[in-house]
Amino acid sequence: MDCIFCKIANKEIPADLIYEDENVVAFNDLNPTAPVHLLVIPKKHYSSLNDIDEEKVFGQIFSAIPKITKKLGIKEYRTVVNTGKSAGQSVFHIHVHVLSGREFTWPAG
Ligand code: 5GP
Ligand code: ZN
């Protein structure tokens, strides 16, 4: 499958890997929008949040996040999942943005 995040998960193309376990990989975003900007993805391909059909995947992704932030010494961060083009999704392999290191405004733009 021609998916850039599958290729990163399979180590076919390089990325700045921050964390890896059996099910999940985290790496630095290529175009960071905050001093810390990671993407956390399942190794298995799901195009978006709408396509996850196994509940355990949510646990695999979200239980990895506090492990990663703890390792990085981060206590405050924003997690974002864009689903669909109009919501800002540009890569169609589900990913959770983890952003930190600056003040964030709300509501989101
Ligand atoms: P989305 O807009 O789909 O929520 O987020 C996709 C994110 O993936 C963007 O923040 C973009 O900078 C990042 N991105 C796109 N291609 C690559 C890549 O090849 N490597 C890395 N590390 N990040 C990427
Ligand atoms: Zn993929």
Side-chain angles (χ1 to χ4, degrees):
M1 190 191 296
D2 196 23
C3 168
I4 196 137
F5 285 0
C6 281
K7 287 180 181 159
I8 288 174
N10 295 330
K11 320 274 168 57
E12 289 167 38
I13 63 166
D16 203 358
L17 288 194
I18 301 290
Y19 172 89
E20 179 172 15
D21 65 27
E22 204 184 333
N23 304 300
V24 168
V25 174
F27 50 94
N28 282 323
D29 196 290
L30 199 59
N31 294 113
T33 61
V36 174
H37 188 170
L38 316 173
L39 302 172
V40 185
I41 66 169
K43 288 183 174 176
K44 191 171 168 191
H45 181 90
Y46 299 95
S47 298
S48 81
L49 191 57
N50 292 334
D51 300 290
I52 293 181
D53 54 5
E54 294 172 277
E55 281 197 12
K56 65 180 182 194
V57 179
F58 298 109
Q60 290 165 356
I61 297 171
F62 279 94
S63 64
I65 292 174
K67 292 182 199 165
I68 296 164
T69 52
K70 197 171 176 192
K71 194 175 141 189
L72 296 174
I74 296 166
K75 290 203 173 114
E76 299 189 356
Y77 52 90
R78 178 170 286 184
T79 47
V80 175
V81 182
N82 296 321
T83 303
K85 218 171 161 186
S86 69
Q89 188 175 7
S90 61
V91 176
F92 285 80
H93 178 130
I94 190 178
H95 48 280
V96 180
H97 297 258
V98 177
L99 300 139
S100 188
R102 66 170 170 86
E103 295 286 318
F104 297 98
T105 57
W106 191 261

